[in-house]
Amino acid sequence: MTEPTHHEPHGESLGTRLNWLRAAVLGANDGIVSTAGLVVGVAGATSDRGTLLTAGLAGLLAGSMSMAAGEYVSVSTQRDSEMAALATEKRELREQPEAELDELTDLLEERGLSRDVAREAAVQLTERDALRAHARVELGINPDELANPWHAAGASCLAFTVGALLPLLAIVLPPSSARLWVTVVSVLVALTFTGWWSARLGDAPAGRAMGRNVGGGALAMGVTYAAGSLLGAAGV
């Protein structure tokens, strides 16, 4: 009888993919909430479709560019730190190989291997690729998967834009009598989904995550609509 094949993803690539997916969900969520708050706030002051479109589009562009720039700076800093750590490790391997071999042995022993097995594994890993071994075991870095700031910036910009399009379209497409409620309902449904998906990615309780998402979005729209209404009534 053939044994069932066990397929289970392992490795840092899976974690990297999950991190990117989680960042995409959070970026889309930011786009939904910030743009919804903006257009609902403006809707509290005016019902003019052109004004709403201009405000929503400006918010979408400003938010997506801000997200992209922030992510680029953040990930560039991370990449610089990773490369600096790898350069330091490369120098130490060149200048004091025996001390680095002892260090790798100690690290492997701390992970549960016996001293003899840890030493043998350290020797084999060093002979195969010393820098890669230390990068993975000591630094927790995969040299083949260093953070890419351009990828991060592009993904954040795209995710924010996709999220922001929902409230933007919802506020300008329906007739004026229905656009506010269409926007609010659409946004709350979308936030329910992104809350559920983010909880699923993090193996967290879905109900709590969805409640936080929906509550935060509702609060943001309520506050901005109240502010817009007050400004509109004051003729500002």
Side-chain angles (χ1 to χ4, degrees):
M1 182 176 179
T2 305
E3 291 292 329
T5 304
H6 177 63
H7 294 290
E8 182 178 347
H10 294 284
E12 293 181 19
S13 58
L14 175 61
T16 301
R17 288 195 298 271
L18 288 177
N19 286 336
W20 279 110
L21 187 54
R22 185 177 293 109
V25 171
L26 294 176
N29 194 78
D30 286 344
I32 294 169
V33 174
S34 62
T35 306
L38 176 61
V39 297
V40 167
V42 175
T46 179
S47 60
D48 181 69
R49 191 188 303 270
T51 301
L52 292 170
L53 176 60
T54 300
L57 188 58
L60 183 155
L61 293 173
S64 61
M65 292 298 100
S66 175
M67 288 284 290
E71 197 69 13
Y72 178 83
V73 171
S74 174
V75 176
S76 292
T77 300
Q78 176 186 341
R79 184 182 178 89
D80 290 344
S81 298
E82 291 173 343
M83 294 182 68
L86 290 173
T88 298
E89 197 63 39
K90 187 174 182 179
R91 175 177 54 78
E92 291 175 347
L93 285 167
R94 183 177 63 253
E95 295 176 354
Q96 43 190 359
E98 288 301 320
E100 289 298 299
L101 180 61
D102 291 338
E103 182 182 35
L104 184 58
T105 302
D106 293 339
L107 291 169
L108 292 172
E109 187 178 11
E110 290 174 3
R111 296 192 176 191
L113 298 180
S114 68
R115 185 68 184 181
D116 291 341
V117 172
R119 185 68 176 186
E120 178 61 26
V123 170
Q124 291 188 25
L125 288 171
T126 299
E127 290 175 350
R128 188 171 185 177
D129 192 327
L131 180 60
R132 184 179 300 277
H134 280 267
R136 287 179 175 272
V137 178
E138 181 182 347
L139 304 176
I141 297 174
N142 184 347
D144 296 326
E145 296 182 1
L146 294 181
N148 188 313
W150 289 108
H151 290 173
S156 294
C157 179
L158 179 61
F160 186 97
T161 300
V162 170
L165 280 174
L166 172 69
L168 175 58
L169 295 177
I171 202 72
V172 298
L173 294 182
S176 59
S177 60
R179 63 171 55 120
L180 181 62
W181 291 110
V182 169
T183 302
V184 170
V185 171
S186 300
V187 165
L188 294 183
V189 169
L191 292 176
T192 300
F193 174 75
T194 56
W196 170 81
W197 189 242
S198 63
R200 182 180 176 186
L201 291 174
D203 293 324
R208 189 178 305 168
M210 290 187 294
R212 285 195 300 262
N213 243 24
V214 171
L219 179 62
M221 289 186 289
V223 169
T224 56
Y225 182 76
S229 298
L230 288 173
L231 292 173
V236 178

